Amino acid sequence: MGARGIPPPPRAVRRVLAPLWPLVGLVVTGLMVPVVVAGALHSLVDRRARLFRCACLAVLLMWVDIRMLVRCWVLGAEPHDDRAPEWREAHERLLSDALDSLMFYTRRWLGLEVRLTERMHFGTAGRPLLALARHAGPFDSLAVAWLLARTAGRLPRIVLAEALRWDPGVDTILTRLDSFFVPSAGEDRLAGVRGMAGTLGDDDVLLIFPEGQNWTPSRRAHLIERLRRRGEHRRAARAEALVNVLPPKTRGAWAAREARPEADVMVVAHAGYGQLSSPRLIWDAMPFRDRPFLVRTWTWRSEDVPSDPVAFAAWLDARWDEVDAWVTAHTDPGGIPERRPATGSATGSATGSAASPDASPDDPSGTSGGTAGGTVQL
């Protein structure tokens, strides 16, 4: 069962869980001490020190989350206006710092390296951006969100599963930043997307994963089988033609597009971690020093994206064909991305800039403006 199938905590549980979260962190840290010691001893046998790395990283990431929650409490205790730009900016800095910390520790302990294969184009200055990303493998949501915040200088608003409300830190800060938690059932799942898209500022980006769930070989096979059982042979053939992605679901992306038709659209593909579709495969691949997280983006001006829902669905299908072809080309049969020399690097704070309003309209691939591809690191 994926995160979509996990119901959110009741409101009363959320209220109790948040103040107890630091205590939970202390308990978990105490329980992890013998695991860390065992991992250190086991590293004499396992030269990759996987147990030691995972135990240390788990503790560090939990305290990054707790620190973010405590800092949210501090901001909430100070005199403030929830509608003031300063209130939102303070929380954006908090989330950006947390993303930096998460990526720093993940890179240091597991060797996660985000590498751009081409130049990025961040859309037209003065327009919001709609980012449609592939969903596959561990860390992909974190890496894509961090990349947009770090390189494009745009902290994304995220459409994510409501099950993540079980994490008080994520629940608190993303609720204050008006992100949308997709309900597991029973509610209009598109109303929140429309509302969030409608309130995007000129420099905001909305991040959506149109596939709706992480791609895995088993999910792909189950989807094809389910469509065939229903007699939907055309859709089954479409799903079967896609090797490394699931067919995109149009409704959420179209809801955002319809709410902000002036927004430019970025399509985000990545390779390197999609084949790590089970805990065992993730364990066997650690650390990831020979497996960079490769990212490729295509950016389209709003004028070049269909404004009719049927045409938009066909357009999105065509884009996902391109994503699938790119991922397949950059992944060898063993699931490791093809290693290519970097064309440049972006380091430190956000180095990318939005394209000027007169950026070339004949550059749908996004090779004008933006930041050079290469390793993006702290």
Side-chain angles (χ1 to χ4, degrees), residues 39-207:
L41 294 175
H42 190 253
S43 64
L44 299 175
V45 178
D46 179 8
R47 300 302 296 271
R48 288 187 280 174
R50 289 171 290 188
L51 179 59
F52 181 67
R53 292 174 186 274
C54 288
C56 291
L57 183 62
V59 173
L60 286 168
L61 296 189
M62 182 156 198
W63 283 102
V64 167
D65 185 73
I66 292 172
R67 181 184 65 180
M68 181 176 66
L69 177 62
V70 171
R71 292 173 71 182
C72 283
W73 291 343
V74 172
L75 285 176
E78 298 172 350
H80 65 272
D81 178 358
D82 292 359
R83 295 168 296 180
E86 295 79 10
W87 170 259
R88 181 176 185 85
E89 290 169 2
H91 286 84
E92 287 180 343
R93 287 193 297 270
L94 270 185
L95 182 55
S96 183
D97 289 346
L99 286 172
D100 280 348
S101 296
L102 290 170
M103 291 298 295
F104 173 80
Y105 290 126
T106 304
R107 182 176 187 272
R108 181 165 185 171
W109 287 91
L110 294 185
L112 176 62
E113 175 188 330
V114 179
R115 176 176 298 176
L116 304 172
T117 64
E118 306 285 345
R119 296 179 68 90
M120 292 180 71
H121 187 291
F122 307 127
T124 307
R127 290 183 183 177
L129 182 67
L130 173 60
L132 308 176
R134 179 201 184 205
H135 202 10
F139 316 120
D140 72 321
S141 302
L142 169 64
V144 172
W146 173 80
L147 181 64
L148 289 170
R150 189 71 165 168
T151 310
R154 296 186 180 208
L155 187 66
R157 299 192 194 181
I158 310 171
V159 177
L160 65 173
E162 201 172 26
L164 291 176
R165 287 193 184 276
W166 283 100
D167 182 325
V170 171
D171 184 14
T172 301
I173 195 163
L174 291 186
T175 297
R176 292 184 183 182
L177 287 174
D178 303 318
S179 288
F180 178 54
F181 293 86
V182 179
S184 56
E187 298 180 31
D188 183 358
R189 299 185 178 191
L190 300 181
V193 176
R194 293 190 190 96
M196 188 163 54
T199 60
L200 289 175
D202 292 341
D203 293 324
D204 286 342
V205 55
L206 174 59
L207 176 59

Side-chain angles (χ1 to χ4, degrees), residues 266-311:
M266 173 186 283
V267 174
V268 184
H270 57 81
Y273 290 75
Q275 297 293 333
L276 304 183
S277 55
S278 71
R280 178 58 186 270
L281 291 173
I282 296 171
W283 179 264
D284 289 343
M286 291 191 298
F288 308 120
R289 303 199 187 282
D290 60 346
R291 186 186 291 267
F293 185 89
L294 302 179
V295 180
R296 171 73 162 96
T297 64
W298 298 261
T299 304
W300 300 75
R301 296 191 317 174
S302 60
E303 296 88 343
D304 300 323
V305 179
S307 56
D308 171 78
V310 175

